[in-house]
Structures are given as C-alpha cells and as structure tokens.
Amino acid sequence: MGKYQKAKEIVEAYYQALEAAGEDEVKDVLGQYMAPEYNWKGVYPFREQNGIDAVADNFWIPLKHALGHMQRRKDIFIGGTNEIDGSQWVMSMGHFMGLFDHDFLEIRHTRKMISLRYAEFSCVEEGRITKTGLFVDLIGFMVLAGMNPLPPSTGNYFVYPGPRDHNGLLYEDADKEEGKKTLQLVNKMVDDLDQLNVSGSMGCPPEILELSWSKDMIWYGPGGIGASYTIPRYQEQHQLPFRNNLKDKTFNGHVVRFAEGNFACFFGWPNLTNTPCGGFLGLPGGEVRADMQVVDVYCRKGDKLSENWVFIDLIYWLKQQGVDILERTAHILNQ
C-alpha cells in the first residue's frame, strides 16, 4: 500500500457516506470521520468553524437542503505531505451538482440542475480528519443561477472541465519523483511572481510566465473573473488587471502546499494582502487594504504548467472593503 492510500480511503469513504446521508444524518457522518477537535475553514460567510455541529449546521445541512440529490463530482483527487509542516493531506476538486430546489444563502432557487465548484483539503491524522479547508465558488454559483452580482468579467465563466487528459483521480499513489518535479515547478513560479511583488512592479513581461507555463495554458478563474486560454489572453484578461489595479501586494504564505504526480495544490489563510487602486473586477479603488484567501490547483504536462484551477474568496475580499454582495443581491432581488 502506498504512503497516502489509507488517508485517501478514509476521505473517499467519508465522501460516499456524506453523499448518501440525509440532512438529519450529516452530524452522525461527521462524528464518524472527524476528530473531536475538528477545525474547518471556508469562504465567507462561513469562514472558520470549530466542531462537527457548527460545520453541519452552518454549511453541510443548508447546502444539502438547497441542492436536492446532490452529487460530488471529482475531477482531481490527490494526497501528499504538506511542505509547510509535514502533515498528511488529501485534496479533492470538482463540483457539487444537484437540483437547486431551495434557496441557499438567500440565492434564489431555480428548480434546475446547478453546479457549485469546490476544492476540499482534508488533513488526516491517526485515522481521522482533523482539519478541512473547503472553498466553494459562490459568485460562480450565483452566475449559473442567473444573478451575477458584479460587472461583466474579463474572462468567461462556465462549468469548468477537469484535466484535459482525464488523469486527475489518483486513488493509487503516483510516482513520488513526479510529484517532486511538479512542486518544484510550482514553487519556482510562485517565487518568480513574488519577486515582482517585492520589486513593486505592477506589470509582468510574458517571458516571466513562459519560464513555467505552456503557451496554451488554461487558467480557470473564479466567478467574477472567469477563465482564460493562452498566455497572451491570460495576461490580458486576468494577470495584468490584477497586477495593475491592485497595489502594495504582499504574499503571506500558505497553510497547505503539496503535490502528487502531475498535480499540485495550495491554499493560504490569507495568501495575499493588497489594496485596490481602481479597475479590478470593474470596480473603483477604495484604498482599503484587504486579505485574499486563494486556492490554486495545478496540472503539469512535461516541464511546464498546463492548467490552473483557481478559487479566490472575492466575497470576503469585498466585505473587508465595506460591500457585502450576498446581502446586497438578496436585498435587491428578494424583497
């Protein structure tokens, strides 16, 4: 058995049990798989929850109530050792799909199929899940439900596919040397961009990206920004608006960062701190410094990164600046 097989089996068994559980059974499932001192981190308005009751009452039960017959549809499933502290984690990324039959966070239901993008990080210790980072794309969910809360996005938002080669479900452990190559490449890319931040540079020459990225890269960004294809379009539709319309960028590090095979992932709490100076997301700059929680999931093909799925808690980032788009949208549309 591989190094991460047992942790993967525990997480997969939890996924299956949770999917089969009714709303009144969610706490029993969490009690079976989670440690007593369970800590959960997520997007606004959930943020940080401690203990299975809080996680069930605030996230899982409302979500399962809203999305009838909800399925977890995984595109990537990997395990690894956290480069930050040596702990063991499993990461799954994909969509929660179901029938949107009841309102969720006052987002009006449609009675139609809908998908909610997710990336879930699970720390497994002594046979139990002790910590979770679960990030969902609520703005993307609102877009699919027909109530976009932001100006038109620079990229295109849709139900994103998994890896082009359909090779992201690593139920059996991959060659550890391949994981090392992937993590080294991701770390090099992060270091290159951090050096730009430290220098104060707002732009980014394409040659910097070409060191790590394939020319036909795909960047699957969050709702509010959207996806871009190829280096020139990625720079036009996300990177340069991000770099030019946000200043004083500080990289704060990661909570979890690991790789397995051709895939790598990380999240921070927060990853970044920056100040909007006008234009990002089509909004004015308020000169309010704010934190960003970001998830990145990468696919390496050969010696370059080929695909990148990204979650940014833009709702929380805007909330710190005095705008609650969930509250605002609900007030306007649900009077």
Side-chain angles (χ1 to χ4, degrees), residues 8-208:
K8 291 177 181 178
E9 289 173 2
I10 290 168
V11 171
E12 178 63 18
Y14 159 61
Y15 289 169
Q16 293 182 14
L18 183 64
E19 183 168 312
E23 293 174 40
D24 59 348
E25 299 170 314
V26 168
K27 291 183 182 180
D28 290 337
V29 170
L30 296 184
Q32 182 179 353
Y33 290 96
M34 275 55 187
E37 301 300 320
Y38 178 55
N39 175 262
W40 187 98
K41 291 180 172 63
V43 300
Y44 181 83
F46 311 107
R47 296 292 290 158
E48 191 162 11
Q49 306 287 331
N50 289 298
I52 61 174
D53 286 351
V55 175
D57 289 338
N58 290 297
F59 182 77
W60 283 118
I61 293 174
L63 181 62
K64 287 178 73 71
H65 178 71
L67 300 190
H69 303 279
M70 189 178 80
Q71 297 181 359
R72 180 191 295 262
R73 303 181 69 87
K74 301 189 297 296
D75 293 313
I76 296 175
F77 184 75
I78 60 175
T81 299
N82 183 8
E83 191 176 49
I84 310 302
D85 64 7
S87 54
Q88 195 170 98
W89 291 73
V90 174
M91 193 284 301
S92 167
M93 187 207 77
H95 296 82
F96 297 122
M97 188 200 75
L99 297 172
F100 193 12
D101 283 346
H102 299 280
D103 293 359
F104 182 59
L105 300 175
E106 297 193 73
I107 301 167
R108 293 189 304 192
H109 68 282
T110 63
R111 298 190 68 254
K112 299 177 182 180
M113 288 176 63
I114 197 166
S115 292
L116 173 63
R117 293 177 66 221
Y118 81 89
E120 184 167 6
F121 295 72
S122 302
C123 181
V124 180
E125 300 175 283
E126 299 180 354
R128 293 272 181 159
I129 299 171
T130 58
K131 290 176 281 191
T132 292
L134 177 52
F135 297 83
V136 294
D137 189 344
L138 291 178
I139 296 178
F141 184 81
M142 295 170 79
V143 170
L144 295 178
M147 48 192 305
N148 190 349
L150 292 172
S153 61
T154 50
N156 187 32
Y157 189 82
F158 51 99
V159 178
Y160 297 156
R164 181 180 182 183
D165 293 337
H166 301 278
N167 58 347
L169 300 178
L170 304 186
Y171 294 110
E172 296 183 0
D173 289 3
D175 180 351
K176 65 180 182 180
E177 293 303 316
E178 293 301 311
K180 288 181 180 178
K181 292 178 186 176
T182 304
L183 195 56
Q184 287 172 355
L185 183 58
V186 168
N187 287 342
K188 178 187 183 307
M189 181 271 301
V190 171
D191 289 343
D192 289 344
L193 294 180
D194 190 44
Q195 286 302 310
L196 284 178
N197 293 340
V198 172
S199 73
S201 172
M202 299 295 276
C204 176
E207 293 80 13
I208 296 284

Side-chain angles (χ1 to χ4, degrees), residues 240-274:
L240 294 181
F242 185 92
R243 297 203 63 83
N244 293 334
N245 302 147
L246 301 172
K247 65 181 182 180
D248 303 328
K249 293 178 279 289
T250 301
F251 173 56
N252 301 310
H254 296 134
V255 173
V256 179
R257 183 172 63 240
F258 70 90
E260 184 180 17
N262 288 5
F263 298 91
C265 58
F266 59 65
F267 79 88
W269 194 261
N271 308 49
L272 304 170
T273 305
N274 51 52

Side-chain angles (χ1 to χ4, degrees), residues 270-298:
N271 308 49
L272 304 170
T273 305
N274 51 52
T275 304
C277 48
F280 184 60
L281 303 179
L283 299 174
E287 296 293 321
V288 177
R289 196 156 170 77
D291 293 333
M292 276 186 171
Q293 267 75 242
V294 183
V295 171
D296 277 87
V297 181
Y298 297 94

